[in-house]
Structure formats: structure tokens, C-alpha cells
């Protein structure tokens, strides 16, 4: 069940990528939250920098533990994790709100708040993988599909009601890819893809101004709150500020801790949602390209695990985690570049946030566990 010898069999190509992303995260958070003072411009680290370092330390420990852990044992704990995360999501409605929303649990003995929705995405990946493997011989039936859809639907609704639209929407692509690799009937997958494409196209038409934002307001606000609909406005200050910071970076950037726009706190959420434009303003197009290369390598190697996994459960698990990583990168960078509405999706391993860091390290640890056991037959 737990064997440290598997540490020698991991995919070492991803290790420098993870370390590089952690270093970039610390640099951005230092630049956007720390104070520079004194004759020699001494940098005084903020509490957020220290919390992020603690989160990385805990994440590395969990990452190494999961490599040694046999991922196949997750089958025995799937429903325990699933019911646990449902209870945590439901319990948020009775917990004190933080920043006027109910997304986090705050414990005085932890260096960061616990956000159950971050872990819910991984739990859904595990639960779907386990269920579709178990129903392998009945996977083409509508009953199996509806049961699998219910596994996704319950946390989706609970996360949507927090409200956290961005996190909830990530569950859609994750489910669609696992359905595909799981062998769900092709007609169902095509129908879901068509429905998703129509919905996404309609949102983009409003966001890009092809359909009038004001004229569509009465229709959308029947099922969305006013502030949620405003995210479909491409001319919000956050959208413009993100694109401005990216543009100011030019080719080589302003330099570490030398950004004017971000340095004057004109970029909202510079150390969380907006880490990409904050990083790009300081390190320019060259830095942005380097960051994109790191993410491409991480996602590419993640999907390679799908190919080498020795069992159906491992293949489904790896495919779900690969999409989990890819969607965070695509949505976060897309919304900061003005291609997508801003929905509050973090940039994995770079954005500030203990729950995001820990859930990502859990995902990467599980991927390495699958990869390290690629030659195991029992």
C-alpha cells in the first residue's frame, strides 16, 4: 500500500517544472504584497509570502507521500471522500461568510483557509473514475450515464450556490473527458459537446459585444445575480487592468519589484486571480512565454500518464487530472487576456492560496503514483 521505493520510478521531468512554478509564485507574491524600504531597498516579506511557503512545504510532503501510496487503494475510500466533501460543501452554508461569500472554513491553527470546492474537483475525478471502472460492462447504458452525471451534479450545484461559478464550470470539462475515456456512449458525448458549444458560444457573443450586453441583461438576470452578469462585460475595470499590465510588460518587462501599474495596486487581486498579468508586467513577453512553456510541459507529461497507466482506473484518473490542470491554466490566462469572462479561477501553483496549492500537489502526487506503477501487474 505504501512503498518508498517508488520514489525512484517517478517521472523526473515534471519535478523541475513544479519547482520553477513554485519559485515564480513566490516571486510574484513577494512583488505584489511585500514592502520595500530602507537605504538598500530591503524587502520585508508579507504574511502571504510566508503562508504560501508553508503551503508549498505541506504540499511537497503530501506529494511525496502520495507517490509512495498505491493509488489503486483509493477505490476502497471513494465514497468516504465523496460523502465527506458533500458534507463540507453543504456545511459552508452554516459557516460564517468570508469576504461576503461562503467558500472557506477558517481555522486559527491553520496557515490558510480551507476551500472545499478546490478539493471537490479532485474528489469528483476519483469518484467518476471509480464508478465508470466498476460499471465498465454497463457503461453504454443510459442508467450508468445518469448515475455518473449525478455524481457531478450534486457538488456542481453546491459550489454554484456559494457562489463560485468558475470552480463549478471546471467540473464540466473534467466530466466530459472522463466520460470519453470511460467509454460512455458516443451519442451522449456528442450531445453534451454540442450543448456545451452552444452555451459557450452564446456567452462569448455577449462577452465580445456581438449581442448587446444591456439588451441581454433581463434574460440573464432571471437566473444569475446582477454582479455575476457583470462578469460578461468585457469593459470592467478588472478586465482592462489585466490587459494593461500585460501590455506594459512589453518584451522584457519592468524588472522584479519594479512594476509601475501593479506596484501602485492598480491591478486587482494581483497575487491571486491576476498573477499572470502581474508576472508579465515584471518579466515581459519572454517571461510569459517561459511560464506557458512550463505549463505546457506539465500538462503534456500529465496526459502521457494516461497512456502508460496499467489499469482502467488509473487511465481515467490521469485523464481527469490532466484536464483539471489544463482548464485552470486555459481559463485563468484566457480571462486575464480578455478572451474569457473573469470567474476567479486560480493559476495552479502560482496563485496565492493554500487550498489551491494543496489540491494541485495532491493531483500531481496521484499522477506520479500512477506513473511509478506503470510496470505493476498486481
Amino acid at each position: 500500500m505504501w512503498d518508498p521505493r517508488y520514489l525512484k520510478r517517478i517521472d523526473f521531468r515534471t519535478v523541475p517544472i513544479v519547482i520553477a512554478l513554485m519559485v515564480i509564485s513566490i516571486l510574484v507574491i513577494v512583488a505584489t504584497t511585500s514592502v520595500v524600504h530602507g537605504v538598500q531597498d530591503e524587502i520585508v516579506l508579507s504574511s502571504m509570502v510566508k503562508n504560501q511557503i508553508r503551503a508549498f512545504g505541506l504540499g511537497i510532503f503530501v506529494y511525496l507521500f502520495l507517490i509512495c501510496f498505491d493509488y489503486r487503494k483509493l477505490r476502497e475510500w471513494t465514497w468516504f471522500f465523496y460523502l465527506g466533501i458533500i458534507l463540507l460543501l453543504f456545511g459552508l452554508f452554516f459557516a460564517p461568510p468570508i469576504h461576503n461569500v461562503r467558500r472557506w472554513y477558517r481555522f486559527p491553527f491553520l496557515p490558510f483557509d480551507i476551500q472545499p470546492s478546490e478539493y471537490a474537483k479532485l474528489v469528483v475525478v476519483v469518484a467518476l473514475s471509480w464508478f465508470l471502472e466498476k460499471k465498465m460492462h454497463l457503461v453504454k447504458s443510459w442508467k450508468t450515464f445518469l448515475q455518473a452525471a449525478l455524481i457531478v451534479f450534486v457538488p456542481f450545484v453546491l459550489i454554484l450556490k456559494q457562489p463560485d461559478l468558475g470552480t463549478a464550470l471546471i467540473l464540466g470539462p473534467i466530466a466530459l473527458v472522463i466520460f470519453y475515456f470511460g467509454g460512455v456512449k458516443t451519442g451522449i458525448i456528442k450531445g453534451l459537446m454540442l450543448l456545451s458549444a452552444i452555451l459557450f458560444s452564446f456567452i462569448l457573443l455577449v462577452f465580445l459585444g456581438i449581442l448587446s450586453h444591456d439588451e441581454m441583461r433581463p434574460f440573464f438576470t432571471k437566473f444569475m445575480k446582477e454582479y455575476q452578469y457583470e462578469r460578461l462585460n468585457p469593459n470592467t475595470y478588472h478586465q482592462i487592468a489585466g490587459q494593461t499590465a500585460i501590455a506594459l510588460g512589453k518584451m522584457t518587462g519592468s524588472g522584479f519589484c519594479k512594476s509601475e501599474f501593479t506596484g501602485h495596486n492598480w491591478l486587482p487581486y494581483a497575487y491571486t486571480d491576476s498573477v499572470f498579468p502581474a508576472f508579465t508586467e515584471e518579466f515581459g513577453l519572454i517571461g510569459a512565454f517561459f511560464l506557458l512553456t512550463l505549463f505546457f510541459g506539465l500538462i503534456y507529461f500529465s496526459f502521457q500518464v494516461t497512456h502508460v497507466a496499467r489499469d482502467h482506473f488509473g487511465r481515467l484518473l490521469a485523464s481527469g487530472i490532466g484536464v483539471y490542470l489544463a482548464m485552470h491554466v486555459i481559463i485563468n490566462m484566457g480571462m486575464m487576456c480578455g478572451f474569457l469572462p473573469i470567474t476567479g479561477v486560480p493559476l495552479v501553483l502560482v496563485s496565492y492560496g493554500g487550498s489551491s496549492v494543496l489540491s494541485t500537489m495532491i493531483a500531481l502526487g496521484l499522477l506520479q503514483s500512477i506513473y511509478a506503477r506503470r510496470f505493476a501487474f498486481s
Side-chain angles (χ1 to χ4, degrees), residues 92 95-104 162-164 227 231:
L92 284 171
I98 300 174
H99 305 306
N100 298 318
V101 293
R102 301 180 186 274
R103 297 181 188 174
W104 299 275
Q162 292 178 3
D164 190 355
Y227 77 91
R231 292 175 179 174

Side-chain angles (χ1 to χ4, degrees), residues 238 269 271-277 332 335-336 342 344-346 351:
H238 197 172
Y269 309 105
Y271 56 94
T272 53
D273 298 344
S274 304
V275 289
F276 178 64
N332 182 276
M335 68 189 189
M336 287 298 110
I342 293 178
V345 174
S351 292

Side-chain angles (χ1 to χ4, degrees), residues 81-108:
F81 290 133
Y82 185 80
L83 292 176
I85 204 67
I86 295 300
L87 290 174
L88 286 173
L89 290 171
F90 186 74
L92 284 171
F93 298 105
F94 303 95
I98 300 174
H99 305 306
N100 298 318
V101 293
R102 301 180 186 274
R103 297 181 188 174
W104 299 275
Y105 288 106
R106 178 165 290 172
F107 300 104

